[in-house]
Every structure is written in C-alpha cells, then in structure tokens.
C-alpha cells in the first residue's frame, strides 16, 4: 500500500517548456488535489477533482491544466512554464475529511 | 473570505516541556478543524481532527482544543522530544464545500532542543 505517489521528485525547466506532473493513489479515494507550497504562502490549492472525470479550479489555477484519467491518477500539466511557477507541488487524496499527501515535486523554472 | 492565522515565528522549547501552538480563524464557523505535521522535504501528514461539538481531543502526547466562540484551536504536545521538531499546519474545510477541500494555515515551526 504505497498511499500517494508523485513523479518526478525534482525537475528543472526552462521558461516556455512544458511538463506533466504525475500523481497516483491506491486508497480508492474519490477526491484528489494539487497544491503548490511557497515560502511564506503556505499550501495553495491549484485544482481538485471530486471524482473520476470531474475537475475544478482552486485558488491559483492560472498556467495549469489537470486530467483525472481514472480514479487512481490525477496529473498536473504546465503548458508553458514560467519562473513564477517555481515551487514545491503536492498531490493529495481524500476519502472523507482528511487528506493524504504525496512526497512532493520540487520544480525550478529558469 | 476565510482566513487562518498561525504564528509564523518559530517556537523553540526545551525537551520535556509542553509545546502549545495556536490557530486562529475568521469569517466563518467550520464543522471541524484538522492539524497536520510537515517535516522538511516531505508532504504534510494528518495528525488529528476535532469537530465543532468537541471541546478537546487527545492522541498519545497530543491534545487539541477547539473554541468556536474564540474561533481558535490550540495544539499541545506534552513531554516534547527533539523528534517532535517539525512544522505544524492547521486546516479548515472550505466554506460551502462538501468535497473535502481544505484551506491551510502557513504553519508554525517547532524546534525542540535536547
């Protein structure tokens, strides 16, 4: 039982490049979330998915897209990376009230 | 809009003492409040959930109180140990949401010195 897994752990991009962050959970949770965490800003919700096939914007969705391909997987895509997207990205899932987080992806955009 | 405030200054205490962290919120009455622990370079880990009709909840050396009148939660770690050093986040459900969405405080870093 791996919980929530994320790939990659680290990534460096140049401005304008694209990439997809992958997230998977094996707890049969309906809800999944993508957050970014920046110093002094705390965790901010980018997108969430209440169930397979549904997604909705969070607090800071600009510059990101998501896909909930199936119940297990929820991916986050940066179409044209910008230095302001340098951050640590966390994926989480929840069955009811509590959230279970992945280990994070540290992304640097040069 | 909903707002959560945690003391941004690090809390430094001596091993064996009780650490008390504060979480204040404004502009609504949440049905519950949660506390998470985050170690450097890792994702947050759920610790405790306390509901609005519960004044206090305990788990081993952890105790959480929830004062809905003051709009405040206190998080206590008794007999603290260096291994308790981490950042502690409080979280509340997003208003008018039944999807499990949470809003997180910025966290308070606790340093327990031997």
């Amino acid at each position: 039982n791996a919980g929530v897994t994320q790939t990659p752990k680290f990534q460096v991009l140049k401005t304008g490049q694209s990439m997809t962050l992958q997230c998977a959970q094996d707890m049969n949770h309906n809800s999944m979330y993508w957050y970014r965490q920046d110093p002094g800003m705390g965790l901010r919700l980018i997108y969430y998915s209440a169930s397979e096939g549904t997604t909705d914007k969070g607090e800071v969705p600009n510059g990101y897209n998501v896909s909930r391909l199936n119940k297990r997987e929820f991916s986050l895509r940066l179409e044209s990376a910008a230095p302001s997207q340098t951050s640590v990205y966390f994926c989480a899932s929840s069955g009811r009230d509590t959230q279970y987080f992945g280990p994070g992806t540290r992304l640097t955009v040069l | 809009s909903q707002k959560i405030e945690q003391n941004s200054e690090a809390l430094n205490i001596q091993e064996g003492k009780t650490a008390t962290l504060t979480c204040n919120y404004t502009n609504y009455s949440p049905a519950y409040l949660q506390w998470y622990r985050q170690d450097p370079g890792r994702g947050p880990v759920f610790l405790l959930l306390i509901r609005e009709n519960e004044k206090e909840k305990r788990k081993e050396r952890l105790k959480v109180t929830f004062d809905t009148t003051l709009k405040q939660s206190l998080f206590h770690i008794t007999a603290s140990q260096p291994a308790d050093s981490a950042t502690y986040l409080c979280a509340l459900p997003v208003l008018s949401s039944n999807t499990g969405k949470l809003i997180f405080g910025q966290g308070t870093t606790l340093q327990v010195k031997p």
Side-chain angles (χ1 to χ4, degrees):
Chain A
N1 195 344
V4 179
T5 57
Q6 290 183 238
T7 55
K9 288 192 182 332
F10 301 94
Q11 184 71 49
V12 178
L13 293 177
K14 294 181 180 179
T15 297
Q17 287 185 317
S18 62
M19 79 161 295
T20 299
L21 281 65
Q22 306 286 353
C23 174
Q25 53 96 5
D26 62 3
M27 294 174 282
N28 202 36
H29 287 160
N30 284 319
S31 298
M32 296 186 74
Y33 314 82
W34 275 106
Y35 294 90
R36 60 179 289 174
Q37 188 173 40
D38 303 290
M41 301 293 290
L43 282 163
R44 292 183 293 169
L45 183 65
I46 305 171
Y47 270 93
Y48 79 99
S49 170
S51 61
E52 179 182 345
T54 69
T55 62
D56 207 346
K57 295 177 181 178
E59 182 185 353
V60 287
N62 291 346
Y64 305 95
N65 285 301
V66 290
S67 295
R68 182 81 182 268
L69 299 172
N70 50 56
K71 195 169 188 177
R72 288 188 66 249
E73 297 170 297
F74 188 36
S75 61
L76 178 72
R77 182 160 178 84
L78 287 71
E79 291 291 353
S80 180
S84 61
Q85 294 177 304
T86 293
S87 187
V88 180
Y89 291 86
F90 289 102
C91 176
S93 70
S94 70
R96 276 190 63 187
D97 303 324
T98 62
Q99 293 189 10
Y100 298 84
F101 285 81
T105 295
R106 185 172 293 275
L107 175 67
T108 301
V109 183
L110 302 175
Chain B
S1 62
Q2 298 168 257
K3 192 173 179 182
I4 302 178
E5 290 182 355
Q6 293 185 258
N7 192 344
S8 58
E9 289 184 16
L11 178 63
N12 294 297
I13 64 168
Q14 207 65 34
E15 182 176 8
K17 301 292 186 183
T18 296
T20 299
L21 286 67
T22 304
C23 176
N24 294 298
Y25 59 93
T26 57
N27 295 334
Y28 86 131
S29 299
Y32 58 83
L33 182 146
Q34 302 182 28
W35 284 89
Y36 289 76
R37 169 182 172 142
Q38 186 173 22
D39 292 287
R42 304 179 77 101
V45 174
F46 169 74
L47 294 175
L48 281 166
L49 180 152
I50 185 166
R51 300 197 182 275
E52 60 181 337
N53 61 347
E54 298 175 309
K55 295 293 185 188
E56 179 181 299
K57 199 155 193 179
R58 293 175 185 261
K59 179 182 176 182
E60 298 173 351
R61 294 183 295 109
L62 308 180
K63 184 179 86 171
V64 172
T65 63
F66 193 10
D67 189 326
T68 55
T69 301
L70 291 178
K71 295 189 183 296
Q72 180 181 80
S73 175
L74 299 178
F75 177 81
H76 306 273
I77 305 175
T78 57
S80 59
Q81 304 167 0
D84 295 325
S85 299
T87 297
Y88 292 86
L89 310 172
C90 72
L92 298 170
V94 171
L95 185 64
S96 301
S97 168
N98 61 354
T99 60
K101 285 197 294 183
L102 298 173
I103 179 170
F104 285 83
Q106 291 186 27
T108 298
T109 298
L110 172 67
Q111 187 72 34
V112 181
K113 298 184 178 181

